[in-house]
Amino acid sequence: MNQTVQSVRGMNDVLPAEAEFWEFFEERVRLWAKAYGYRPIRLPIVEPTSLFKRAIGEVTDIVEKEMYSFEDSLNGEKLSLRPEGTAGCARAVLQHHLAAQRPQRLYYLGPMFRHERPQKGRYRQFNQIGVESFGFAGPDIDAEQILMSARLWDDLGLDGIELQINSLGQPEERARYRAELVDYFEKHADSLDEEAKRRLHTNPLRILDSKNPAMREMLSESPRLLDHLGAESVAHFEGVQQVLSDVGVAYTINPRLVRGLDYYNLTVFEWLTDRLGAQATVCAGGRYDGLVGQLGGKPMPACGFAIGVERLTALVQESDGVPTAPQTDVYLVYQGDAANAIAPRVAESLRDQGISVLFNCGGGSFKSQMKKADASGALYAVIIGDDEARDDEVTLKPLRDDGREPQKRVSIDGVADEIVKYFLDEDDFDGCL
Ligand code: HAM
């Protein structure tokens, strides 16, 4: 039996209506990043597996069980599809000495891969907008990035996304806290679930992140990392909060906010919504001053965040922020030998002048072509028969204004002007006037 081939589970097609929205969205993102002086960087989708082990951490969910890793059968290299972008970005900055002269503000956009159980808002191939800075040590850049994310929600007309922040302190502070936390958990071993028992000696901080209601009470009384921070870490955290308060960005301190990747220190933050079911985190990030050193470079302060594009677009689509699909300006209808000879040239010259043209392919009678023109959503039909072609003219027929404007013959050289004149009144010309 012939079975059709399907896409891989958790890896989705983005069909034209939605892809048009993604393009609109990506354009907004580029302008937004530029407004803060962040420059684009494009990174490989495949990296050495060792990069992610070193950067994200051996005992994280991502590295333990979610990476698409394989051996390149041609040369035996151990490779992985990137599960996130920070590791690759730090590698590139180091490899190309990007931050040797001056600090860098960078952003990227693209697919990431994690072998998770697919559900709404959680996919095996998903897209992130990542923002990273290298070479800035103060709390001002952490705050800048939080403000930046807040602005994107505003630009997209989104509200109700809640900001949670925390400080993970420095590694020494965390080590002291970790010992105390393990003590506490050992005293409450009866309340630990299987997952927590497994993490107790590998990654106990992650237990704090558990969603298991049976552990809630025990966790709420566990020691707080914030109480173990030294003066410098406290000052850094207060510095971030000061800017947020000065600018009026509301936040909650969540002392149990830990991240699923090991490279963080000091500030961490997440933006959450209650409108996406279990997959509530739209955006997450923080400071990772140790990562570049861990990858073999000179230590360099760094900070960043990533937005889950599928989650964000789902939010935009359920609010009113969805733009209408861009319309094509003209559908080009033509028939007859003389018309055939000039139609492609007419279409190209309209495009030269910033007008978008759907060219009728596959022939057909005038009647059937006009039906296609109507169905296409174009604003105008440009019709060329042999009569028109002989006089170097076309017939211009408005398709969307309820007959307010009659069709008329215009010279080929004058069509674009005629269309633009019409749109100057209509306000919906999206060509390059
Ligand atoms: P992350 O928390 O693993 O952080 O992912 C960031 C965001 O990507 C999540 O908040 C979520 O919106 C989205 N995301 C993650 N996994 C999936 C999935 N399976 N399906 C759909 N969306 C998903 C990072 O990746 C860090 N690199 C962030 C960062 C940048 N930290 C510093 N710089």
Side-chain angles (χ1 to χ4, degrees):
M1 211 186 31
N2 237 350
Q3 279 200 330
T4 57
V5 179
Q6 302 286 305
S7 61
V8 175
R9 195 162 116 79
M11 302 197 180
N12 300 317
D13 302 309
V14 180
L15 301 180
E18 207 175 332
E20 270 163 356
F21 170 67
W22 279 56
E23 285 193 353
F24 152 85
F25 176 73
E26 285 163 9
E27 274 166 33
R28 286 281 180 96
V29 165
R30 290 185 203 293
L31 293 174
W32 162 78
K34 201 164 166 220
Y36 286 82
Y38 284 71
R39 297 174 69 201
I41 185 162
R42 296 188 182 220
L43 302 158
I45 284 174
V46 175
E47 296 273 3
T49 300
S50 57
L51 171 69
F52 301 117
K53 287 190 174 168
R54 275 164 81 167
I56 299 170
E58 297 262 8
V59 282
T60 56
D61 284 350
I62 297 180
V63 170
E64 275 182 345
K65 53 186 188 202
E66 293 172 0
M67 284 214 294
Y68 285 89
S69 298
F70 56 96
E71 193 172 297
D72 183 337
S73 61
L74 298 177
N75 61 8
E77 280 182 286
K78 292 190 165 47
L79 305 173
S80 292
L81 300 187
R82 61 183 185 191
E84 58 103 54
T86 309
C89 193
R91 183 215 27 82
V93 165
L94 186 56
Q95 182 173 337
H96 304 286
H97 313 291
L98 275 191
Q101 304 301 324
R102 66 189 68 88
Q104 295 289 312
R105 288 179 166 92
L106 304 168
Y107 78 95
Y108 50 83
L109 239 153
M112 309 292 160
F113 302 83
R114 295 185 194 174
H115 194 107
E116 294 191 83
R117 198 169 48 76
Q119 63 181 83
K120 183 170 180 257
R122 187 163 73 192
Y123 310 101
R124 289 180 175 171
Q125 175 173 337
F126 60 97
N127 286 267
Q128 281 186 345
I129 301 160
V131 169
E132 317 283 0
S133 66
F134 295 87
F136 297 96
D140 43 5
I141 194 92
D142 314 26
E144 171 180 287
Q145 293 185 351
I146 294 175
L147 297 183
M148 194 176 171
S149 40
R151 177 177 295 278
L152 188 61
W153 320 149
D154 270 0
D155 282 357
L156 296 169
L158 292 174
D159 48 26
I161 309 185
E162 191 212 338
L163 172 63
Q164 294 191 355
I165 60 173
N166 191 19
S167 174
L168 297 182
Q170 297 295 13
E172 322 76 70
E173 293 157 356
R174 222 162 35 244
R176 279 197 296 276
Y177 169 68
R178 185 189 150 123
E180 198 174 309
L181 192 64
V182 170
D183 261 6
Y184 174 85
F185 286 146
E186 279 173 342
K187 280 193 198 109
H188 294 81
D190 296 350
S191 321
L192 297 180
D193 61 14
E194 283 313 307
E195 178 82 0
K197 281 185 187 139
R198 202 175 58 79
R199 285 182 161 150
L200 184 55
H201 294 288
T202 53
N203 204 345
L205 267 69
R206 288 286 289 157
I207 300 177
L208 298 173
D209 210 24
S210 167
K211 307 276 179 294
N212 184 350
M215 299 206 314
R216 196 173 296 149
E217 201 186 319
M218 182 273 295
L219 288 178
S220 71
E221 278 158 30
S222 62
R224 290 162 21 122
L225 175 51
L226 280 178
D227 300 329
H228 293 68
L229 301 188
E232 269 186 42
S233 297
V234 169
H236 190 101
F237 195 39
E238 286 174 354
V240 176
Q241 292 174 57
Q242 185 64 51
V243 179
L244 297 182
S245 304
D246 289 348
V247 182
V249 172
Y251 62 89
T252 314
I253 297 177
N254 174 1
R256 280 166 237 295
L257 175 65
V258 288
R259 303 270 303 120
L261 305 92
D262 280 356
Y263 46 62
Y264 293 105
N265 67 314
L266 295 175
T267 320
V268 288
F269 64 93
E270 289 193 355
W271 288 92
L272 304 140
T273 171
D274 54 13
R275 278 180 280 158
L276 291 180
Q279 304 310 313
T281 315
V282 181
C283 168
R287 183 163 277 284
Y288 49 96
D289 296 330
L291 180 58
V292 172
Q294 225 165 289
L295 298 179
K298 265 210 328 251
M300 180 188 297
C303 188
F305 65 92
I307 299 169
V309 177
E310 284 77 3
R311 293 183 193 177
L312 192 62
T313 53
L315 275 183
V316 177
Q317 280 167 340
E318 71 161 41
S319 61
D320 289 338
V322 188
T324 50
Q327 280 165 321
T328 313
D329 302 321
V330 162
Y331 192 99
L332 202 134
V333 169
Y334 62 97
Q335 200 200 36
D337 290 343
N340 285 351
I342 65 163
R345 188 158 47 80
V346 172
E348 285 305 307
S349 86
L350 288 174
R351 293 180 186 122
D352 283 346
Q353 294 168 83
I355 291 170
S356 57
V357 181
L358 259 176
F359 190 76
N360 185 77
C361 285
S365 65
F366 274 122
K367 197 169 158 206
S368 78
Q369 291 191 43
M370 281 309 294
K371 265 196 183 158
K372 288 195 229 168
D374 268 329
S376 74
L379 298 166
Y380 264 109
V382 165
I383 305 164
I384 316 175
D386 284 344
D387 272 3
E388 281 96 343
R390 258 190 301 275
D391 295 345
D392 274 341
E393 287 184 342
V394 304
T395 296
L396 190 59
K397 182 174 174 15
L399 298 174
R400 299 272 164 264
D401 74 348
D402 305 325
R404 259 188 296 138
E405 200 197 12
Q407 69 177 52
K408 58 178 156 188
R409 289 269 288 253
V410 273
S411 75
I412 288 176
D413 292 342
V415 197
D417 282 350
E418 234 2 270
I419 292 175
V420 168
K421 212 161 61 196
Y422 174 78
F423 284 118
L424 284 179
D425 302 332
E426 285 293 302
D427 236 24
D428 50 3
F429 180 63
D430 60 1
C432 56
L433 267 179

